Amino acid sequence: AQLALLQDGGDEEALREGLLALFKQTLAPDDLKAYIARFPDFDDEEAQDEALDWAEKKGSLLKASRLFVALGQRERAARALVNRSDEIKGAYRRDYLEIADLLQDKHPLAAALIFRKFVEIAVSLSNAYDYQEAALYFLALAEMDRHIDDYEGHATHSVFADYMRSEYRLNSSFW
């Protein structure tokens, strides 16, 4: 409603600010389009780049990842996930796993970091219900390791596997 009032009032700068604030909240492709549509040619590209840079570095990681996938910018989604992997939350497991499946072939490190998070959650909670799925992800991690040349500061698969076995050695039903 406020955006409609701003649009009717003709205050273009305030409208842009309002649209940008809305985009930062939702990280929705349609809100990005509405925001950049308010700029003249060439300025719209710069506005879009700045908005996407903000999303990659500061926006909700899950929403940003979805946005980049929707825009066909999987490399950017992967980069955000690799750089901010500590923000991956277990409450959104299914959402993140869908993204990992989309990134796995061309961006295996990003997918591996998502898989790792959920393997560790399943094992740490000693949730036998999730063990089967976690075991499949753990096996997938070993396969993905062959396709990851650079772990970009993250632990290699063998270091992660050793950590898991050491940290959760009492969870013998998983191993």
Side-chain angles (χ1 to χ4, degrees):
Q2 288 180 332
L3 292 175
L5 287 174
L6 289 171
Q7 189 168 10
D8 291 343
D11 186 347
E12 192 64 30
E13 187 60 33
L15 179 59
R16 285 182 191 161
E17 288 175 15
L19 289 168
L20 179 58
L22 177 63
F23 168 71
K24 286 180 174 183
Q25 183 179 23
T26 66
L27 295 185
D30 289 343
D31 292 334
L32 176 64
K33 288 177 190 172
Y35 170 64
I36 63 173
R38 306 306 302 185
F39 288 87
D41 286 344
F42 304 110
D43 288 347
D44 60 344
E45 291 177 23
E46 183 179 334
Q48 178 173 315
D49 289 344
E50 289 175 5
L52 293 176
D53 286 346
W54 183 90
E56 181 180 336
K57 295 173 182 144
K58 297 181 181 173
S60 157
L61 181 59
L62 179 58
K63 288 180 184 180
S65 299
R66 285 182 182 153
L67 170 69
F68 297 135
V69 167
L71 295 176
Q73 296 187 15
R74 291 184 180 184
E75 184 173 329
R76 196 170 207 157
R79 188 171 56 232
L81 287 160
V82 168
N83 290 337
R84 299 171 57 194
S85 63
D86 58 322
E87 297 176 40
I88 297 170
K89 303 291 183 226
Y92 304 106
R93 178 174 84 175
R94 293 285 164 222
D95 297 303
Y96 277 114
L97 291 173
E98 286 177 16
I99 292 168
D101 288 340
L102 293 171
L103 297 178
Q104 187 173 353
D105 290 338
K106 293 194 177 183
H107 306 284
L109 177 58
L113 294 172
I114 292 171
F115 287 173
R116 283 180 180 185
K117 182 68 163 189
F118 297 110
V119 166
E120 187 167 10
I121 288 170
V123 176
S124 70
L125 295 176
S126 300
N127 186 347
Y129 176 78
D130 290 334
Y131 276 4
Q132 184 175 6
E133 185 177 24
L136 293 173
Y137 289 128
F138 193 76
L139 292 173
L141 286 168
E143 175 61 28
M144 292 165 68
D145 181 59
R146 298 179 329 128
H147 304 284
I148 300 172
D149 297 324
D150 181 0
Y151 274 88
E152 299 183 32
H154 296 278
T156 64
H157 176 65
S158 61
V159 170
F160 174 72
D162 290 346
Y163 161 77
M164 290 296 294
R165 284 188 187 98
S166 171
E167 186 71 20
Y168 302 106
R169 65 188 170 280
L170 299 178
N171 299 54
S172 59
S173 61
F174 183 80
W175 305 113

